[in-house]
């Protein structure tokens, strides 16, 4: 009962903050940022597998969010909506930052190296393996297994066929399994 | 056995997955800076792309209307050029005090203007050639797009 009341209070105060932000209150926006930055950064890090890029993308999310928030009508939870905004911005961030060679030959970027992934604090064993996955397999795995998007939605977001999304997910699972079993051996 | 182990590991890890991770540096100052840079220009950001769109659509609509009704009083290309020149001048005046995002945009504009001249020259021989008129409309649209794009106030650095 107490937990429900606390949750309701938090929801109410978040709604008040959002309304203030919509009217241009930057202090309220700073408070909203504090509430959500860790979730946004975690998602950006998982999708981009690079700490600096994840920080840049997180900043981009909050810069764009300031202008997009007027379109949030409260039909879904704010955190759900924010996750969707974050996923889309992280994906477009990745597209924008591909170099010309990657664009021309559709060269897929590999994931984080094992040492860098191990150095990421706060990540569990699976996350550290996920960061090592190649780009497409990683994004599909994060969006499907962690964020709960359907393959149809992922296909639209990433501009790939539904079948490709499924095969990338399978590929991700195979690699994770192989790495995990090697670690256990 | 190992498959089951991996499946267990996967399910457990996904259930315990941290939804929150703190970034290593404070990102707020950069965001605040970007917002303060962007705020005064916000209305322009919202208005000019729309105006460019409206202008481009109007050029297209004008071309279509001229092609359909083919007014005998005035040549299509001339009417389109008049309208475009007005739009282009209006944009250039609006953006005259605003820094461009690239240094070579005027060179790009010159190249488009050269293409415009070549098409106009061809139109002198065939004033109502639909393919040439379409090319001219596209060149006009590219010029408007270029002017808008290089002057669009954009958050560039945090």
């Amino acid at each position: 009962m107490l937990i429900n009341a606390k949750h309701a209070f938090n929801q109410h105060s978040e709604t008040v903050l959002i309304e203030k932000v919509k009217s241009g209150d930057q202090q309220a926006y700073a408070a909203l940022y504090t509430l959500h930055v860790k979730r946004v950064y975690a998602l950006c890090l998982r999708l981009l597998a690079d700490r600096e890029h994840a920080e840049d993308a997180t900043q981009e999310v909050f810069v764009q969010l300031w202008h997009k928030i007027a379109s949030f009508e409260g039909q879904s939870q704010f955190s759900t909506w924010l996750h969707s905004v974050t996923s889309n911005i992280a994906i477009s961030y990745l597209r924008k930052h591909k170099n010309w060679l990657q664009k021309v030959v559709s060269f897929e970027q590999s994931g984080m190296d094992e040492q860098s992934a191990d150095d990421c604090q706060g990540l569990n064993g699976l996350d550290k393996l996920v960061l090592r996955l190649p780009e497409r397999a990683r994004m599909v795995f994060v969006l499907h297994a962690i964020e709960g998007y359907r393959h149809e939605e992922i296909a639209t977001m990433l501009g790939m066929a539904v079948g490709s999304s499924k095969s990338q997910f399978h590929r991700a699972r195979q690699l994770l399994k192989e790495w995990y079993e090697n670690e256990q051996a | 056995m190992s498959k089951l182990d991996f499946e267990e590991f996967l399910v457990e890890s996904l259930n315990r997955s941290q939804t929150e991770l703190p970034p290593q540096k404070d990102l707020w100052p950069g965001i605040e800076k970007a917002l303060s840079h962007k705020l005064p220009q916000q209305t322009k950001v919202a208005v000019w792309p729309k105006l460019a769109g409206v202008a481009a659509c109007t050029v297209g609509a004008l071309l279509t209307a001229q092609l359909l009704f083919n007014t005998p009083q005035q040549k299509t290309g001339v009417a389109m050029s008049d309208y475009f020149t007005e739009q282009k001048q209006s944009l250039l005046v609006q953006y005259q005090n605003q820094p461009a995002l690239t240094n070579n945009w005027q060179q790009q504009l010159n190249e488009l203007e050269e293409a415009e001249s070549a098409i106009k020259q061809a139109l002198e021989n065939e004033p109502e050639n639909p393919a040439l008129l379409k090319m001219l409309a596209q060149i006009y649209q590219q010029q408007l797009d270029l002017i808008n794009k290089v002057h669009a106030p954009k958050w560039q650095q945090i």
Side-chain angles (χ1 to χ4, degrees):
Chain A
M1 191 66 176
L2 185 65
I3 293 170
N4 282 344
K6 192 178 172 188
H7 178 70
F9 175 76
N10 286 341
Q11 286 284 96
H12 173 72
S13 48
E14 187 176 76
T15 307
V16 171
L17 272 183
I18 292 165
E19 287 310 311
K20 283 185 177 177
V21 173
K22 281 183 178 178
S23 64
D25 185 336
Q26 272 207 32
Q27 278 192 321
Y29 194 53
L32 197 66
Y33 162 84
T34 306
L35 274 178
H36 291 283
V37 63
K38 291 177 186 173
R39 288 174 67 92
V40 168
Y41 175 72
L43 178 53
C44 287
L45 181 63
R46 286 185 177 112
L47 287 171
L48 302 174
D50 181 292
R51 279 189 293 198
E52 279 186 21
H53 287 176
E55 286 174 350
D56 282 353
T58 302
Q59 287 185 313
E60 196 159 330
V61 167
F62 281 98
V63 171
Q64 288 197 31
L65 183 68
W66 173 254
H67 302 290
K68 282 179 191 278
I69 201 162
S71 66
F72 174 67
E73 292 171 345
Q75 284 165 340
S76 59
Q77 284 220 342
F78 179 71
S79 58
T80 310
W81 182 77
L82 179 57
H83 258 223
S84 162
V85 169
T86 302
S87 302
N88 286 315
I89 290 174
I91 290 164
S92 67
Y93 181 93
L94 199 64
R95 284 192 190 124
K96 273 191 283 184
H97 288 79
K98 277 188 173 183
N99 64 35
W100 68 269
L101 185 64
Q102 288 169 327
K103 283 177 183 165
V104 170
V105 297
S106 299
F107 172 70
E108 188 179 27
Q109 202 158 24
S110 57
M112 202 181 257
D113 65 79
E114 197 172 343
Q115 186 59 50
S116 305
D118 278 342
D119 290 344
C120 283
Q121 291 171 348
L123 294 177
N124 67 25
L126 177 65
D127 276 325
K128 287 178 181 176
L129 294 179
V130 167
L131 293 185
R132 290 166 52 191
L133 287 169
E135 181 187 298
R136 275 176 287 190
R138 183 183 67 247
M139 294 192 102
V140 169
F141 186 85
V142 170
L143 292 171
H144 184 65
I146 301 177
E147 294 300 316
Y149 285 98
R150 288 179 290 115
H151 282 294
E152 289 77 8
E153 295 170 308
I154 295 168
T156 308
M157 290 164 89
L158 298 180
M160 59 168 62
V162 176
S164 302
S165 177
K166 287 178 182 172
S167 66
Q168 289 293 343
F169 183 70
H170 179 72
R171 180 186 175 208
R173 276 183 61 106
Q174 287 298 111
L175 284 168
L176 291 172
K177 184 172 185 285
E178 187 185 313
W179 292 336
Y180 173 73
E181 287 174 355
N182 281 344
E183 279 183 2
Q184 300 303 302
Chain B
M1 184 66 184
S2 66
K3 187 182 175 190
L4 189 67
D5 284 346
F6 173 71
E7 293 301 330
E8 281 176 353
F9 162 74
L10 197 58
V11 171
E12 263 188 40
S13 302
L14 289 172
N15 286 338
R16 286 185 292 109
S17 181
Q18 285 278 0
T19 53
E20 295 193 346
L21 286 172
Q24 288 191 333
K25 63 181 182 193
D26 183 6
L27 305 178
W28 179 250
I31 295 164
E32 201 174 22
K33 190 177 167 192
L35 294 183
S36 64
H37 271 102
K38 203 170 183 176
L39 270 177
Q41 298 171 334
Q42 180 55 23
T43 49
K44 287 181 185 174
V45 173
V47 169
W48 284 109
K50 285 177 191 167
L51 277 184
V54 169
C57 289
T58 316
V59 169
L62 185 67
L63 172 66
T64 311
Q66 291 283 354
L67 287 174
L68 285 176
F69 303 114
N70 202 16
T71 51
Q73 296 88 351
Q74 196 178 22
K75 288 178 183 171
T76 310
V78 175
M80 198 160 51
S81 292
D82 289 348
Y83 185 82
F84 162 76
T85 308
E86 197 181 304
Q87 293 296 316
K88 185 177 165 185
Q89 285 309 318
S90 160
L91 282 184
L92 289 172
V93 169
Q94 287 295 333
Y95 287 135
Q96 64 185 349
N97 295 323
Q98 207 164 303
L101 297 176
T102 58
N103 296 325
N104 68 338
W105 74 276
Q106 277 171 324
Q107 188 192 330
Q108 291 178 49
L109 190 61
N110 286 344
E111 285 168 11
L112 289 170
E113 284 169 348
E114 280 172 21
E116 177 193 336
S117 301
I119 297 167
K120 277 181 175 172
Q121 212 169 354
L123 274 168
E124 280 176 13
N125 296 327
E126 296 178 79
E128 299 302 325
N129 183 319
L132 288 173
L133 287 170
K134 195 177 170 189
M135 282 167 71
L136 186 63
Q138 282 172 344
I139 288 289
Y140 284 156
Q141 187 167 336
Q142 282 177 36
Q143 290 186 40
L144 295 179
D145 288 346
L146 174 70
I147 296 167
N148 272 303
K149 212 161 87 179
V150 297
H151 289 97
K154 187 171 178 281
W155 163 65
Q156 290 179 80
Q157 65 166 35
I158 289 181

